[in-house]
Structures are given as C-alpha cells and as structure tokens.
Amino acid sequence: EIINKLSKVDFLSIILIFLFFYILSGQYKGITRYSTSRSLYLISLRNLFIIFILYLFNIFSNLNLSINLFIQAFLNIIIAQAGLRIILRDLYFRNVNYNKNNKENIIIYGTGIEAVQIASLIRLDNNYSLKAFIALSDELVGQHLFGIPIYSDKYFSKNDKKIDKLILAFDNDISNFQSNKIINFILKKGINIFKFPSMDDLFNGKTSINKMIPVSVDQILGRDQIAPQMDLMHSAIKGKCVCITGAGGSIGSELARQIVLLNPSKIIFLENSEFNLYKIINEIKEYPNEVEVLPSLGNVRDEVLLRKIFTENNVDIIFHAAAYKHVPIVEKNPLQGIENNSFGTLSVCKIAQEAKVDKFILISTDKAVRPTNIMGASKRLAELIVQYFATKSTHTIFSMVRFGNVLDSSGSVLPLFRNQINQGGPITITHPEVTRYFMTIPEASSLVLQAGEYASGGDVFILDMGEQIKIADLAEKLIYLSGRNIDRNNNGDGIAIKEIGLRPGEKLYEELLISGKELKTPNNKIYKSQESYPSQSILNKAIESLEISVENNDIGTIKKVLADNVEGFIT
C-alpha cells in the first residue's frame, strides 16, 4: 500500500537514499557467516531509522497512511534481512561440516560463561565438531546451547560415538576436590581431557584455539590447595639474608623462585652441582626483583666454606634442602648417604649456631619415619641432630618440615613414566599396592616458608599431603592423560604396565607421623608433632661411631648404629 501511493520517482529516490544509508552505516560490511545478535540489533536500528524517515515523508506528503503499516513494514524488513543472514550463516556451517573430513569430536564439561565462550570459538573452527555439553547439575539437562544438547554425566555410559577431546569449563563453580573427582571419572572412560587456552592469551595472540592444554597430573591429586599466606611469607623473608643449601634441586630451586619474590636483602645459593647452580642462577636473573644473589659452589660438609658464607653475609635464615634422596642409589652408596644427609646436616647446624643465624629449617621426608632403607635412616638421623641443636641453642631457632613426594621432582616416578610412555611402554611399577603421598613442588615450598615462621624451636612440622595415591593408579591416569590406552592383554594395543618387584629398602606405604598427635597451626595444611629424641650423650655416641665407621668403610657397623638409634630401621 505504501508503494502504491508513491510515484515512481519518489519510490526510486527513497530506494537510492536507503541504499546510500545502508552503505554508509556499514550494513553490507558484516561477514554473514560470523553474524551475531549484535548484527541483528544494528540491522534493527538502521531499519527503524529508515521507517521513521518514511513515516515523516508520509506526514509531509499527506499520504495519510496508517502507522500500523509502517510497523508491519519494519517487522517484515527485519524478518527478511535477519532471517536471510541466519539462513546463509547456517547453510555455510552446514556445508563446512559436511565437507570437512576428520573433524575432531568435542564435548564441553560445563554450561557457564566459560563454556559458552569456548563453544562460540569452536563452532567457528573447521577442525572441530561440538557434539554435547555436560552439565554440572541436573537443572539444565535436556536443554540446548547453540542448538547442541546438554546431558548429565550419564552421557559417557550411553554414548557409543567416538569422543576425541573433552574440554573442562567449570567457571570456578566447584572445588578442586570435585573437579579432580570428575577428571578421574572421565579418565577411566579413556577420554582425552583438555583445558582451553585463557581468553587473554587468545586475544593477545600468545596462543590459538588449536593449542588446547592437556590436564596436568597435579589436577588429579584429589586435594584442595589453600592460597598461601602472603603477608606471613613477606614478613618472614623481607629484608633478610637467606641461604638455601641444595639450591639447584627440586625443592631448593622452587624455594629460590618464591623467596626472590618476597624481597630478601640477599639470597645465597649453596649447591655442589655446577650445572644445577648455573641453571637456577640464570633463571633467577630473569626475575624483575632486584635482589642480590650470591652463588656458592661447594659441599655442606665444608665447614670452612659454611663459616665464611654465614658470617660474612650475616645470614638470617637457612633452608637446608641439600640431600641425597634416591632410595636405591643411597642403598648402594650408604657411606655417601650418611656423609651428605646426616653429617652435612650436622655441619650446617653447627656453623649456623656458631654464626648466630636466626632460623634454620630442615627439609625432611616421610621416608624418615620408621625407615627401611639407608636414605630414610640418614634423614631421620638428620632430624634427631636438628632436635638436639634446638635443645642447646640460645639464639638460633631450629625446626624441620616433613612431607612426602613432590610431583615432577628429579628422579621421581612422573618423569620416568612419561619417558616410558613416549617410548611406547611398558610403564614399570614395583608393586601394585605401593602407595605414596604426593604434592606439587610450588605448594610444598610455599608451605615450608610458612611453617618456618611458626617455628619456636625443635618443631617438627608435617604438611597435610591428603590421601596416599597408588602408584599403579597414577600410572594408569598418566597413560590416559597422554591420550593413550592401557594394554591389559599384552597385545600391543596401548601402553602396558609391568610389575618388576620392590626395590631394596622400599616400603609399600609411607608415614608422616612417628609418635604423638598432630597439633594444629594457623594453617590447616600444616601440622606440628611433638616427638621424642635421644639424649645428648646417646646421640653424640652414635655420631662418633658413625664417623669412625664411615672413615673405615665399615658398612656393617653403620647399619647397626642406625638400627640402635633410628626407630623402625632393621639391618
């Protein structure tokens, strides 16, 4: 009716004006296959403006057309233009889906904002086909996102289609424990689990949608990590001169990374491996904090060197992390184990007390509790030495922190398992029932720093390691995380797991508490234990006997002295 009342000249003029307005306002600049709701809003605004102009023309030209006609025209134009774009966009994606071979089938675990953002990006990528969302609760089950169904976790048992990747998108709505429970459940289904790159990294060009991040093994520990008490750590370290023995090792180097950010006045790295010292020094140089770093190449048994370091630098705090820790190696080299772990601790304690260092913290191990091997016995003796010095010291506060295995430390099972997987297997385990405590290196180091500030003298701090994990289960999960399957029938279809038997001195399980109760500290991941220790005369006699035995290479007597003085150790 509007067209009928317009002359041909008026009609053509309006068409030309409208086309000019469309071009000027960017109506034809949008890429149809990437049309979003914002595109539809802009189309609506442009056409609302056009209809308004047409309505004004109606008034001034005395066409006397009803306003309802203009409303109907507006709606028809919107439906035609927006509908056409949506149809063309969906036809494009449908054509891509049908023509693209070897697309990876993706499901997203989560239905929140993060899941929606990830789904939006995946739908635009020709390499993936989004099959389903998995809801964290039953409220959204049965509904759809982007036309894609939302299921419960029962989807995994009912679905028989191949799932190439599962992307976690939890939006921080659940605890680490719940997250780990879900991850462990999915791993048993043999599905590869990934985390999506952060949106910031995507926008900054640091990564791409195709570089999804496999779930790391520390995310399957089944424990909630507590944020470190930064104020406590800063007050403990700021302005202090800190010395780390064994600074190039797994724990020593992580302590260095965290301490340098707490603004000490100086940090001293004592390390007997030139290569490890070189690595940590060069790494710390890249940190923005301008902290004086003093590398010292030497052995903790060198008391002349220790005296020079502690006195000339007025050392305030010592973290004693230097130790031989590999059970089979120390079992074959007991003299060196006693020399480094026990006598090394004795030397550092002695010179620390002499130099009036404020605090000394020994990094100990769960293998020191009722040990069945030389390494554990040597570390237990180191604990007894620290407790002895705590009783006689009037200035230095001596304490220790005891915890279990840390993930990805040098020589631990994880690097070994990864290497075996990369070589096609088999993964070797000593016994199917062997269990161990596990913690990440950063978390353990952070808790060590906090525990040191709680120390009052003679303290035995124990880190909450959560539940012990079966090494066999860890091996299975690592195989799944690598995207492989377990070869249970030895037919070459996947990675096999082979039992090789317990090594000399190895226990089926480890303990953290020798005796007494676990006493609480302000941090519920750190406990304190009150443990008995031998008298000064007994300990002095044991150390003297060990020194003579080491000098004479008398391994039999060394084992006997350890058996007499270390609870649980049997020759």
Side-chain angles (χ1 to χ4, degrees), residues 140-189:
L140 297 178
V141 173
Q143 300 186 44
H144 291 73
L145 270 173
F146 300 110
I148 297 165
I150 301 173
Y151 298 98
S152 69
D153 58 11
K154 294 178 181 177
Y155 173 86
F156 298 108
S157 57
K158 294 179 180 179
N159 180 63
D160 57 358
K161 295 181 180 178
K162 181 187 177 186
I163 301 169
D164 296 298
K165 289 179 180 175
L166 179 142
I167 301 175
L168 300 178
F170 292 152
D171 269 349
N172 297 320
D173 291 334
I174 60 176
S175 67
N176 283 342
F177 180 82
Q178 291 173 300
S179 171
N180 295 332
K181 188 176 179 181
I182 290 171
I183 291 171
N184 286 323
F185 168 76
I186 299 168
L187 282 175
K188 292 178 181 177
K189 303 294 182 181

Side-chain angles (χ1 to χ4, degrees), residues 427-469:
I427 279 184
T428 55
I429 62 171
T430 57
H431 192 284
E433 297 303 318
V434 166
T435 60
R436 292 291 182 266
Y437 291 108
F438 283 100
M439 179 180 280
T440 66
I441 296 175
E443 184 185 11
S445 300
S446 170
L447 291 174
V448 166
L449 291 173
Q450 294 170 72
E453 191 62 5
Y454 299 142
S456 57
D459 311 89
V460 181
F461 293 105
I462 298 171
L463 303 187
D464 179 4
M465 304 289 295
E467 298 295 325
Q468 294 203 47
I469 297 175

Side-chain angles (χ1 to χ4, degrees), residues 99 216 226 232 356 562:
N99 292 333
S216 59
I226 295 179
L232 181 71
K356 294 186 177 180
L562 291 175

Side-chain angles (χ1 to χ4, degrees), residues 34 46 50 59 61 99 133 147 155 271 313 342 349 377 418 433 459 466 484-485 511 542-543 552 556-557:
Y34 297 138
R46 292 186 188 105
I50 288 173
I59 295 174
S61 301
N99 292 333
F133 291 92
Y155 173 86
E271 173 61 54
N313 297 283
S342 303
C349 287
R418 288 196 185 100
E433 297 303 318
D459 311 89
R484 311 288 285 276
N485 293 316
E511 304 169 87
I543 291 172
N552 295 329
T557 302

Side-chain angles (χ1 to χ4, degrees), residues 25 292 330 393 423 437 547:
S25 63
E292 183 182 355
V330 176
S393 176
Q423 293 179 356
Y437 291 108
E547 286 177 332

Side-chain angles (χ1 to χ4, degrees), residues 268-530:
I268 303 168
F269 298 152
L270 178 58
E271 173 61 54
N272 68 353
S273 167
E274 182 187 28
F275 178 65
N276 287 344
L277 185 61
Y278 168 81
K279 281 200 305 181
I280 188 60
I281 288 295
N282 278 278
E283 181 180 343
I284 295 301
K285 281 181 180 178
E286 301 299 321
Y287 280 56
N289 299 53
E290 294 183 2
V291 176
E292 183 182 355
V293 176
L294 175 62
S296 183
L297 186 63
N299 194 291
V300 289
R301 284 289 279 151
D302 187 344
E303 294 186 4
V304 173
L305 175 64
L306 294 177
R307 188 174 290 108
K308 178 180 174 65
I309 292 172
F310 296 168
T311 56
E312 290 186 0
N313 297 283
N314 295 315
V315 172
D316 297 300
I317 306 171
I318 299 170
F319 291 95
H320 182 43
Y324 293 148
K325 62 181 181 179
H326 301 297
V327 171
I329 292 177
V330 176
E331 202 69 16
K332 296 291 185 182
N333 300 272
L335 301 179
Q336 289 72 21
I338 296 294
E339 276 274 4
N340 192 65
N341 296 355
S342 303
F343 296 160
T345 300
L346 178 64
S347 295
V348 179
C349 287
K350 176 184 172 182
I351 306 304
Q353 183 186 44
E354 181 184 308
K356 294 186 177 180
V357 172
D358 290 336
K359 286 188 176 181
F360 171 99
I361 299 100
L362 169 70
I363 310 302
S364 191
T365 171
D366 56 355
K367 292 174 178 61
V369 179
R370 284 177 276 277
T372 57
N373 51 69
I374 296 292
M375 194 285 283
S378 68
K379 288 296 288 183
R380 177 55 184 156
L381 187 58
E383 291 185 350
L384 296 176
I385 289 169
V386 172
Q387 289 176 306
Y388 159 68
F389 272 90
T391 61
K392 60 179 286 190
S393 176
T394 57
H395 182 89
T396 305
I397 296 175
F398 288 91
S399 63
M400 68 193 75
V401 184
R402 185 190 295 153
F403 53 93
N405 298 285
V406 286
L407 292 169
D408 275 327
S409 62
S410 60
S412 66
V413 294
L414 288 185
L416 172 64
F417 286 172
R418 288 196 185 100
N419 185 53
Q420 291 174 334
I421 290 172
N422 290 337
Q423 293 179 356
I427 279 184
T428 55
I429 62 171
T430 57
H431 192 284
E433 297 303 318
V434 166
T435 60
R436 292 291 182 266
Y437 291 108
F438 283 100
M439 179 180 280
T440 66
I441 296 175
E443 184 185 11
S445 300
S446 170
L447 291 174
V448 166
L449 291 173
Q450 294 170 72
E453 191 62 5
Y454 299 142
S456 57
D459 311 89
V460 181
F461 293 105
I462 298 171
L463 303 187
D464 179 4
M465 304 289 295
E467 298 295 325
Q468 294 203 47
I469 297 175
K470 278 189 176 183
I471 299 298
D473 289 346
L474 188 64
E476 290 188 2
K477 290 170 183 176
L478 203 61
I479 291 171
Y480 288 134
L481 286 177
S482 69
R484 311 288 285 276
N485 293 316
I486 299 173
D487 181 6
R488 301 187 186 279
N489 301 316
N490 293 319
N491 56 12
D493 184 21
I495 303 294
I497 298 177
K498 180 182 178 182
E499 182 183 346
I500 60 175
L502 290 172
R503 298 171 297 182
E506 188 174 23
K507 298 166 69 174
L508 284 178
Y509 63 93
E510 301 289 359
E511 304 169 87
L512 287 166
L513 191 64
I514 292 179
S515 60
K517 295 181 179 179
E518 291 181 344
L519 307 176
K520 291 185 177 181
T521 71
N523 188 321
N524 62 11
K525 288 291 184 182
I526 304 172
Y527 295 89
K528 190 161 66 171
S529 174
Q530 293 178 336

